[in-house]
Amino acid sequence: MKSKSKKKKIVVSIWDNKRFVVGFTLLMVFIVLGFIISNFSPYDPRSWGTVPEELPPSLKHPLGTTSLGRDVFWFLAEGIKNSLMIGLVAAIVGGAVGVTVGITAGFSGGVIDRILMAITDTFIAVPSLPILILLAFLFKGRASIMVLGLIISIFSWAWPARQVRAMALSLRERDYISMAFFSGEKPYKILFFEIFPHVIPWTIANFINAILVAIGQEATLAVLGLSALEEATLGTGIYWAMQYQAIFRGLWWWIASPVVAMIILFVSLFLTSKGLQEHLASRRS
Amino acid sequence: MAEKLLEINHAQIYYATLAGYVKAVDNVNFDINEGEIVGLAGESGCGKSTLIKSIYGFIKYPMKAISGEINLLTNGNKLNMLFVEKEELRKVRWKYISYVPQASLHVLNPVTRIKKQFLESVKREHNVKEKEAMDEVKEYLKSLGLPPDVLDSFPHQLSGGMQQRVIIAMATFLKPRIVLADEPTTALDVVVQRGILQMLRDIQKELKNSLIIVSHDMGVHYQITHKIVIMYAGKIAEIGPTDEIFNNPYHPYTRLLINSLPRIGDREQRSGIEGSPPNLLNPPEGCRFNPRCPSKMKICEEKIPEMVEISKGHFVACHLFQKNGKRVKEDAE
Amino acid sequence: MQSSGKLLELKNVSKIFKIGGLILGTELRAVDNVSLSIDSEKPVIVSIVGESGSGKTTLARMILRLIEPSEGQILLNNRDITQLKKADELLEYRKIVQPIFQNPFAAFNNLRRVSSYLYDTAYSICGAKSKEEANKMIAEVLEAVGLSFEKVVGRYPKQFSGGELQRVSVARALMPRPKLLIADEPVSMVDASIRMNIMNLFKTLKDDYNVSCLYITHDLSTAYYVSDFIAIMFRGNIIEYGPSDLVLTQPLHPYTELLMSSIPRVDKKWQEDIKLSGIEVKEYESTGCKFALRCPYTKDICKKSRPKVIKTNDGREVMCFKYEGKKYEEE
């Protein structure tokens, strides 16, 4: 009855999903700030002493200045760009490796599956933070943004791999996959046209999630002083503010700016990913 | 004469969709008396499940009661289950009317022992101490041939058939006047199915109440019901005593449906009914079976047939029959 | 036994599933030492009947190469199907064997047009060279199942009723003119009023197109209606096999008797009550006859050792100690 009564195709737009709209709008603000506005910085936001020290927010310095003589606003804009970059690198590398490992394991089965999953499980089970700290320590806070992204991606592929494998395993059992085979469809076409479309929606949602996690991990490393301290990221913003006791000295704008920015960024990423997932789930049923 | 327990008058229950109302149950009338086992039969989408859910007052969006009455008659009181307050429902459920869901639905809570679930569902109106209630429950299970130690198990430790038997025990423990069973044996193995149907029948005999059973399997109806309500596309096509429905069906749909059932030991060529059930968003004008009916007349496309009584307790809604029960013309083959 | 002249031959096929972890897991024999064959000369419909957990679907999936047998061989025209690896061998295989699935809405990808499967089959399996040739093939099979080309081509699965869509899948399976259809519960999701139309289709395919069919079902009545031979499966074994007339009207195995007495027939009412056991039995793990715990004729030997397959004079096979050493010879 359900299938018969739905003769008219119901088109549900992603823009009807409130979570997505709010999340995506906020995210766009961050992207514009990080990738466009940051290029118009009047001075190198990283260098010290370019502006007078410890000024509260004003028209000239919308988010004030730091004890190091940096403009908080321009440092933040640059930091958003770099944090997003780290997130992107980790999510792309982790996602690509994860999907490849997951599909390979799920479809080959047997020994290959068992070996790949043993490795994957190891990466899931091992606590990532101590190892990240160890690796970051080797770079003594001088890693570039790229390298940081890669280090973080070491741990960002395992969970997607598990999930994709589970999906591949269940897809492999679907009747329409067998039907495609018995209709003479080539294996690569089955992979691309029958299986990929079902994995892609999940991959997109997971991708955004991976960005979120990577930004968080970078911040953790930064607070411990192990990130790319010479670069501007959301994490290093917090690091320097803490180093100079910004909280106790009442320089609230210095510490609050990166923290609030990070919280809003997290919320926007979370809402975007959640909204996408909801939308895709409703479309599939 | 047996007491009337339930009367259904012009019940209309629709489903709201973006494309409009799906007329799942449309102007349905019949009564249910004490001591009857009534079968609701028909194909998927004919409205039998919607109807039985509504009798239990289980109407949830997008399902919507539009108009009509499904009156539960309890000690001289009438309660219209189509438009009923939650508080009222709580008073009658389990005690006057109970519901046995599909076996595959896993309605038992997987993390709670059967014992606790049993007591929770039967204790509500029944202010008895736990110990006493427990003894009563054990006695009852024994009388149904169930080992009392199932009470100490978790649902997953029991087979599907055993879970369903426990659910039936729960549903009948307070001796309700009406027991509703919605596809109670679907997805169970045939041997277990027979055991469960017997159990339902025996309990009905013992309590002298009435049992309404929904099934898509005509064999189930043939084996245990006294009376069958044949539904087609949201309307009742025919109501009659079980044996008459099988041996002397009046509605062309019933006749074709019964004839299409294969029988072991009889290899005669059988055929199904051409076409498929209509879309209930826009059901056909007149009789809803007319696009598939071999005996179609002009009036069938224009007027909705009314229910007429042909012989005692045997009703049919078909233009082949006049108000006085006379046949207009012979049924086409 | 000579193995020529067999379209399909299962030789002592078993499928073992591992349940649980590598160390503490247990084994489940979903299909246990099953042998069965279908002659290639005259087309037949063979029903495999069993309840859930009998292994009938696992058996079908092995014949369709969707899973591999753990033990034994499955021969198609005397070739082991697990050895088929090369593209042309697999193509040849799909020309001989085609499946019909239980739920037509799950068998067609709902994002693709139904006809795309028909065209794929025409080009890749039947070797159609041109669009005209493919169209002709498609129109022909659709007509055979009672549908029109115009009504099917270009539409999506959601635009069909279950019965129509199942007919399309029968039409598609028929395109390469296969020798064997594997139909796993093809009518269980189809409405009762149109079920017989599809069952009749299998008869027509057998009579007019020489297609044999392995009909997998839990429904004894349709199995009786359509099939020449019936195999009754129980907990992984075929416990009784023979002409469907004999098996279903004069069952030999106690389990077949129980099944026959339990189905809700529409021509004979149940007589005395059956009793369901209160205990939950573990029949898979038994080393004796798996039915022994429920069987009314159980003797000591039934619980200790597995019965052998006994051939009867009237062409049946039964796996039960009741018939051992009687008037029948042992295999």
Side-chain angles (χ1 to χ4, degrees):
Chain A
M1 180 145 130
K2 267 172 242 140
S3 58
K4 276 172 219 153
S5 58
K6 262 197 222 150
K7 270 248 161 90
K8 224 181 220 176
K9 205 177 170 188
I10 300 160
V11 187
V12 183
S13 162
I14 180 107
W15 302 109
D16 293 337
N17 188 312
K18 289 206 186 72
R19 284 177 211 252
F20 180 80
V21 173
V22 173
F24 190 73
T25 316
L26 282 173
L27 190 59
M28 282 318 289
V29 172
F30 277 98
I31 288 173
V32 169
L33 196 63
F35 288 92
I36 299 172
I37 295 180
S38 72
N39 296 323
F40 298 103
S41 174
Y43 17 73
D44 182 352
R46 289 172 301 176
S47 35
W48 298 14
T50 46
V51 289
E53 291 161 17
E54 299 183 3
L55 294 177
S58 64
L59 276 180
K60 194 151 179 266
H61 305 289
L63 295 176
T65 63
T66 73
S67 310
L68 300 169
R70 287 163 161 175
D71 183 302
V72 175
F73 176 79
W74 294 111
F75 187 86
L76 194 67
E78 180 78 9
I80 287 167
K81 179 178 87 180
N82 286 333
S83 279
L84 281 172
M85 284 301 292
I86 290 170
L88 275 174
V89 170
I92 291 172
V93 175
V97 175
V99 170
T100 317
V101 170
I103 286 195
T104 316
F107 274 86
S108 21
V111 185
I112 298 176
D113 179 31
R114 251 173 278 164
I115 293 173
L116 285 177
M117 280 306 110
I119 300 172
T120 309
D121 286 345
T122 313
F123 274 84
I124 291 174
V126 165
S128 55
L129 193 62
I131 296 185
L132 283 179
I133 290 173
L134 192 72
L135 283 170
F137 194 70
L138 293 176
F139 288 94
K140 301 210 167 52
R142 282 166 207 282
S144 70
I145 295 295
M146 262 306 184
V147 172
L148 256 178
L150 287 174
I151 291 177
I152 290 169
S153 68
I154 291 174
F155 288 96
S156 64
W157 63 271
W159 189 244
R162 262 251 164 244
Q163 300 251 311
V164 170
R165 172 182 173 271
M167 271 187 277
L169 276 182
S170 90
L171 285 169
R172 199 172 67 163
E173 301 286 310
R174 300 277 172 89
D175 284 348
Y176 70 85
I177 303 287
S178 315
M179 185 76 134
F181 169 77
F182 277 96
S183 301
E185 214 175 312
K186 302 267 185 308
Y188 76 88
K189 272 181 116 182
I190 294 182
L191 199 66
F192 273 102
F193 296 114
E194 313 277 353
I195 290 163
F196 247 55
H198 286 85
V199 180
I200 279 171
W202 178 85
T203 313
I204 295 169
N206 173 71
F207 183 77
I208 298 171
N209 239 359
I211 295 178
L212 193 156
V213 172
I215 292 175
Q217 278 176 331
E218 186 275 332
T220 314
L221 289 178
V223 170
L224 296 171
L226 295 166
S227 176
L229 292 181
E230 289 165 8
E231 299 288 341
T233 70
L234 289 175
T236 55
I238 298 172
Y239 172 79
W240 290 116
M242 281 175 47
Q243 286 293 306
Y244 284 82
Q245 311 282 337
I247 301 174
F248 304 113
R249 292 167 54 216
L251 308 173
W252 53 269
W253 56 87
W254 188 4
I255 183 82
S257 302
V259 169
V260 171
M262 181 123 69
I263 290 170
I264 300 174
L265 180 59
F266 271 31
V267 170
S268 74
L269 284 167
F270 174 77
L271 288 177
T272 312
S273 133
K274 187 87 185 157
L276 259 178
Q277 270 172 359
E278 279 175 0
H279 175 68
L280 296 165
S282 71
R283 231 185 39 170
R284 250 170 298 167
S285 64
Chain B
M1 205 186 127
E3 193 191 335
K4 206 201 286 179
L5 294 181
L6 189 78
E7 52 180 27
I8 303 178
N9 295 327
H10 307 287
Q12 283 188 313
I13 303 134
Y14 292 179
Y15 284 90
T17 71
L18 287 180
Y21 280 126
V22 170
K23 302 168 185 69
V25 171
D26 207 0
N27 203 358
V28 160
N29 302 288
F30 66 95
D31 294 341
I32 285 175
N33 296 325
E34 198 178 48
E36 285 181 331
I37 301 183
V38 179
L40 287 182
E43 303 171 67
S44 59
C46 73
K48 56 189 193 301
S49 256
T50 309
L51 184 59
I52 199 168
K53 284 196 181 86
S54 311
I55 296 177
Y56 195 54
F58 194 79
I59 300 176
K60 241 188 184 167
Y61 187 83
M63 199 172 151
K64 248 183 117 175
I66 303 295
S67 66
E69 302 176 320
I70 296 184
N71 287 329
L72 188 67
L73 307 171
T74 55
N75 305 333
N77 293 327
K78 267 190 189 181
L79 186 63
N80 185 354
M81 301 297 273
L82 283 181
F83 306 96
V84 68
E85 298 294 320
K86 269 212 172 113
E87 195 48 43
E88 296 289 318
L89 267 185
R90 201 169 316 156
K91 279 186 206 152
V92 292
R93 281 183 177 173
W94 301 98
K95 209 160 178 188
Y96 287 101
I97 186 164
S98 64
Y99 185 84
V100 178
Q102 248 184 53
S104 55
L105 287 182
H106 304 290
V107 289
L108 293 173
N109 181 349
V111 294
T112 315
R113 278 182 210 280
I114 303 281
K115 180 159 57 180
K116 206 170 159 217
Q117 304 191 42
F118 209 116
L119 288 179
E120 269 169 15
S121 48
V122 299
K123 223 170 64 177
R124 255 173 240 166
E125 302 295 323
H126 206 85
N127 282 331
V128 202
K129 287 204 193 83
E130 193 173 315
K131 177 79 179 54
E132 278 170 45
M134 210 50 219
D135 289 343
E136 255 183 83
V137 169
K138 272 188 190 155
E139 256 335 284
Y140 186 60
L141 289 183
K142 255 190 237 161
S143 74
L144 295 176
L146 294 176
D149 52 345
V150 294
L151 289 169
D152 294 317
S153 336
F154 288 100
H156 68 87
Q157 293 169 315
L158 307 176
S159 66
M162 187 59 88
Q163 287 188 34
Q164 191 68 345
R165 286 198 274 168
V166 169
I167 290 169
I168 291 172
M170 280 162 73
T172 54
F173 180 70
L174 294 181
K175 302 185 172 47
R177 301 311 297 147
I178 301 175
V179 177
L180 309 168
D182 187 1
E183 302 271 9
T185 56
T186 307
L188 293 178
D189 287 339
V190 289
V191 180
V192 179
Q193 162 167 295
R194 178 168 172 186
I196 283 179
L197 291 175
Q198 278 173 195
M199 177 178 173
L200 280 168
R201 188 197 59 199
D202 294 345
I203 293 173
Q204 188 274 335
K205 219 182 246 172
E206 178 69 32
L207 298 179
K208 296 186 186 60
N209 60 0
S210 59
L211 168 65
I212 306 177
I213 185 162
V214 163
S215 176
H216 66 280
D217 186 344
M218 291 305 288
V220 168
H221 293 294
Y222 181 74
Q223 296 294 343
I224 77 158
T225 62
H226 303 140
K227 182 169 134 181
I228 299 183
V229 178
I230 303 271
M231 290 188 72
Y232 182 79
K235 287 188 170 293
I236 294 179
E238 188 165 357
I239 301 179
T242 302
D243 287 336
E244 277 197 42
I245 292 277
F246 274 88
N247 297 324
N248 187 19
Y250 290 129
H251 200 287
Y253 171 68
T254 318
R255 190 175 52 81
L256 291 170
L257 184 67
I258 302 282
N259 278 347
S260 80
L261 302 171
R263 291 155 169 85
I264 291 174
D266 172 9
R267 275 257 170 77
E268 193 193 326
Q269 181 79 15
R270 300 187 179 275
S271 54
I273 310 176
E274 282 306 315
S276 34
N279 180 352
L280 293 181
L281 268 174
N282 297 303
E285 292 288 310
C287 172
R288 291 189 177 174
F289 187 58
N290 84 62
R292 300 169 79 188
C293 185
S295 319
K296 188 169 94 175
M297 300 176 289
K298 197 159 169 292
I299 189 173
C300 302
E301 290 180 352
E302 292 158 359
K303 216 173 144 242
I304 296 171
E306 275 174 42
M307 193 79 93
V308 290
E309 187 165 13
I310 310 288
S311 55
K312 174 117 185 62
H314 195 160
F315 300 83
V316 65
C318 177
H319 289 301
L320 285 176
F321 297 89
Q322 286 173 335
K323 278 240 166 64
N324 56 14
K326 283 238 174 72
R327 202 180 257 275
V328 176
K329 67 164 193 177
E330 274 311 299
D331 208 352
E333 274 313 307
Chain C
M1 202 203 274
Q2 215 187 352
S3 61
S4 64
K6 296 267 195 286
L7 172 61
L8 176 75
E9 190 174 11
L10 307 184
K11 283 184 170 171
N12 308 94
V13 175
S14 296
K15 178 70 194 179
I16 300 162
F17 288 114
K18 293 206 169 60
I19 298 176
L22 282 173
I23 303 156
L24 291 169
T26 51
E27 282 188 349
L28 174 82
R29 280 184 173 259
V31 171
D32 187 7
N33 201 12
V34 161
S35 299
L36 180 78
S37 64
I38 294 180
D39 263 18
S40 56
E41 262 137 58
K42 200 167 145 271
V44 286
I45 299 178
V46 177
S47 290
I48 297 190
V49 183
E51 302 185 84
S52 57
S54 64
K56 58 187 194 301
T57 295
T58 308
L59 194 65
R61 294 179 67 81
M62 284 194 281
I63 300 170
L64 288 172
R65 295 183 75 259
L66 299 175
I67 45 178
E68 278 195 19
S70 314
E71 289 163 11
Q73 278 185 312
I74 301 177
L75 305 177
L76 189 73
N77 286 334
N78 298 326
R79 293 193 61 187
D80 189 334
I81 60 164
T82 56
Q83 302 301 317
L84 308 174
K85 292 273 151 68
K86 291 195 208 107
D88 58 326
E89 290 171 334
L90 288 174
L91 180 65
E92 195 56 36
Y93 166 78
R94 283 174 287 186
K95 281 184 181 171
I96 304 173
V97 180
Q98 283 287 336
I100 315 271
F101 295 103
Q102 176 175 11
N103 181 353
F105 290 105
F108 290 96
N109 185 342
N110 56 16
L111 304 173
R112 279 178 65 182
R113 286 186 179 86
V114 165
S115 43
S116 72
Y117 289 89
L118 298 169
Y119 283 108
D120 273 351
T121 313
Y123 292 123
S124 314
I125 307 233
C126 310
K129 294 282 185 304
S130 62
K131 180 110 183 177
E132 288 75 49
E133 204 183 335
N135 282 344
K136 209 179 131 234
M137 285 177 182
I138 292 168
E140 201 185 323
V141 287
L142 286 177
E143 196 190 334
V145 300
L147 293 169
S148 69
F149 184 80
E150 291 72 30
K151 232 190 131 184
V152 172
V153 168
R155 294 169 78 195
Y156 288 89
K158 287 251 168 84
Q159 296 170 286
F160 292 88
S161 73
E164 286 170 335
L165 200 56
Q166 195 61 300
R167 283 200 228 185
V168 178
S169 70
V170 174
R172 193 211 57 81
L174 183 61
M175 284 182 73
R177 293 294 132 82
K179 289 271 170 285
L180 180 64
L181 286 183
I182 309 288
D184 188 359
E185 300 269 13
V187 292
S188 71
M189 309 284 282
V190 171
D191 276 335
S193 71
I194 30 196
R195 207 167 273 175
M196 288 326 271
N197 296 342
I198 290 178
M199 294 317 300
N200 287 336
L201 216 48
F202 289 111
K203 282 184 159 182
T204 317
L205 296 189
K206 182 185 84 169
D207 297 338
D208 301 353
Y209 294 85
N210 287 324
V211 183
S212 287
C213 181
L214 205 59
Y215 172 49
I216 288 120
T217 185
H218 68 280
D219 180 13
L220 288 165
S221 326
T222 52
Y224 177 84
Y225 177 74
V226 78
S227 57
D228 305 290
F229 294 94
I230 281 189
I232 309 275
M233 280 192 84
F234 177 72
R235 300 278 182 252
N237 296 112
I238 292 181
I239 50 99
E240 183 163 1
Y241 176 80
S244 44
D245 255 330
L246 286 175
V247 172
L248 293 188
T249 52
Q250 305 152 35
L252 290 178
H253 198 284
Y255 175 68
T256 318
E257 281 177 19
L258 177 67
L259 267 188
M260 287 299 300
S261 67
S262 303
I263 54 167
R265 303 172 66 142
V266 291
D267 48 0
K268 212 168 89 198
K269 296 225 173 165
W270 288 329
Q271 297 304 317
E272 74 277 19
D273 285 0
I274 58 157
K275 213 174 159 316
L276 288 185
S277 65
I279 41 159
E280 310 263 306
V281 286
K282 295 204 161 69
E283 285 164 338
Y284 285 108
E285 289 161 21
S286 154
T287 51
C289 173
K290 292 169 188 166
F291 190 56
L293 291 169
R294 289 199 272 158
C295 180
Y297 313 103
T298 303
K299 286 177 284 188
D300 278 349
I301 187 166
C302 304
K303 288 181 185 157
K304 284 186 202 123
S305 54
R306 191 64 55 85
K308 292 196 182 74
V309 174
I310 296 162
K311 291 201 159 197
T312 70
N313 303 332
D314 50 5
R316 289 201 259 178
E317 292 172 17
V318 60
M319 197 172 149
C320 177
F321 283 116
K322 225 175 124 192
Y323 302 94
E324 197 151 86
K326 277 202 177 162
K327 51 194 168 173
Y328 310 117
E329 50 179 298
E330 222 177 84
E331 191 184 355

